[in-house]
Amino acid sequence: MKTEEFDFDLPEELIAQTPLKERTSSRLMVLDRKTGGIVHDRFSNIKTYLRPGDCLVLNNTKVMPARLYGEKTDTGAHVEILLLKQREGDEWETLAKPAKRIKPGSEIRFGRGELTAVCVGTTDFGGRILKFRYEGIFYEILEKLGEMPLPPYIKEKLGDQSRYQTVYAKEIGSAASPTAGLHFSEGLLAEIKEMGVHLAFLTLHVGLGTFRPVTAENIEDHKMHAEFYQFPEETAELLNRVREEGGRIISVGTTSTRTLETVASRHNGKFTPESGWTDIFIYPGYRFQAIDGLITNFHLPKSTLIMLVSAFAGKERIMNAYRTAVRERYRFFSFGDAMLII
């Protein structure tokens, strides 16, 4: 299957630059994956499409303030670092800008020296492996010195940093937000729970590789970056019970979907508590074993995410839905509108 098949024309002005005032006030496109039928609604009405006994599965990862600005200790040259993935101890895979200034052995100083790093290697995607030195607790220093790493297609500054976190964010470690969850307020989640819909939580720390366009001509040649997940016992037990009782498992976001499908595919469709790394790549032809519905945003052309939703709803239905979204002036990407596929 060719990557070009997942391209579409997207006017730049439809890329949402700022979040709406109210989390729940975005538009909602509801796509029937059996018929291709489309309903235009508001996210605040999501309860209309849920039933008692259903279960929403949410990714409770928390975005790190992963963008750091520092200077090389030998030349004073300014550099920008984006933390991607923790390796062992205080070693991290990072993106560096400009990367050519940072070679193995280069030392970088952040803030007033509360945090320093030395480059100890490179990655196969052009990143840098940094070993950090500090006194105290790393994440506390990061909260003080770091900035929220908004995606590159968002050009405006984010006034309220909390708007790039879900209201249920708990486990710090992501380089990007699981943005389908940004539409939920605490009040809406409480209302959903009151109507008899279960809420289940898992953790997948999102890496930036998830959002990058696929550059391979054939999608089968694309290699996903691995991401760390935790699938707790209480979530496994709840989902198995929901399945047995005939409820629907509705994934909030592609990151939750990838975690659920990773676990289910390893255990013949059953949910079993585990943690580990996943590089699962879901594209048309994939047989879903875990989910019955999906809440998601509108994704980049030629991205692994539009391939995932195409696998779930059918490529022609998704591409038609995206053409409709452009025509109806839906807002795209992280701060954009939502789609419910059911």
Side-chain angles (χ1 to χ4, degrees), residues 25-32 36-46 48-49 298 317-318 320-332 337-340:
S25 61
S26 68
R27 296 169 73 186
L28 176 68
M29 177 186 286
V30 184
L31 174 64
D32 186 320
I38 291 172
V39 173
H40 302 289
D41 208 330
R42 290 279 163 187
F43 196 86
S44 53
N45 294 328
I46 190 82
T48 309
Y49 306 96
F298 291 91
R317 289 188 181 121
I318 286 294
N320 177 62
Y322 271 58
R323 287 190 294 270
T324 302
V326 170
R327 188 171 64 248
E328 297 293 327
R329 311 294 289 175
Y330 275 72
R331 301 164 81 242
F332 276 70
D337 294 316
M339 174 186 277
L340 169 63

Side-chain angles (χ1 to χ4, degrees), residues 62-71 78-85 92-98 108-111 115 130 132 138-158 161 164-165 172-177 206-208 211-212 334-335:
K62 189 173 185 180
V63 187
M64 302 179 292
R67 179 168 280 120
L68 290 162
Y69 297 95
E71 56 183 35
H78 293 281
V79 294
E80 179 183 329
I81 299 296
L82 183 64
L83 303 178
L84 294 183
K85 183 169 75 175
W92 285 76
E93 288 183 14
T94 71
L95 290 178
K97 194 164 73 173
I108 307 165
R109 176 178 180 268
F110 304 95
L115 184 66
L130 299 184
F132 287 93
F138 180 75
Y139 284 113
E140 288 184 358
I141 297 169
L142 198 59
E143 287 285 349
K144 179 182 175 185
L145 298 179
E147 283 186 6
M148 199 68 79
L150 292 178
Y153 48 76
I154 294 177
K155 310 298 182 188
E156 294 195 22
K157 280 276 189 184
L158 181 61
Q161 298 288 303
Y164 194 58
Q165 302 277 21
I172 194 163
S174 268
S177 179
V206 188
L208 293 183
F211 301 99
R212 288 197 181 119
S334 297
F335 290 138

Side-chain angles (χ1 to χ4, degrees), residues 2-20:
K2 301 292 186 184
T3 301
E4 286 297 324
E5 296 178 49
F6 299 89
D7 198 9
F8 62 95
D9 291 324
L10 178 64
E12 193 171 340
E13 66 268 19
L14 295 186
I15 300 173
Q17 294 297 313
T18 55
L20 297 175

Side-chain angles (χ1 to χ4, degrees), residues 182-253:
L182 296 179
H183 301 283
F184 288 96
S185 66
E186 291 176 351
L188 180 57
L189 287 172
E191 291 172 17
I192 288 170
K193 204 170 178 180
E194 282 172 17
M195 65 177 283
V197 175
H198 305 285
L199 302 181
F201 295 91
L202 53 77
T203 305
L204 181 129
H205 292 320
V206 188
L208 293 183
T210 302
F211 301 99
R212 288 197 181 119
V214 176
T215 55
E217 183 180 351
N218 299 308
I219 65 174
E220 296 86 354
D221 296 332
H222 178 72
K223 174 67 176 166
M224 296 284 283
H225 290 294
E227 296 165 315
F228 181 75
Y229 70 91
Q230 291 176 306
F231 192 70
E233 186 173 356
E234 59 266 30
T235 295
E237 290 175 355
L238 174 57
L239 293 181
N240 285 324
R241 189 169 75 247
V242 167
R243 176 69 55 76
E244 288 167 10
E245 294 174 355
R248 298 175 301 177
I249 294 171
I250 299 170
S251 177
V252 178

Side-chain angles (χ1 to χ4, degrees), residues 50 54-57 248-252 292-295 340 342:
L50 304 176
D54 287 346
C55 185
L56 292 183
V57 185
R248 298 175 301 177
I249 294 171
I250 299 170
S251 177
V252 178
D292 305 298
L294 171 61
I295 298 170
L340 169 63
I342 206 154

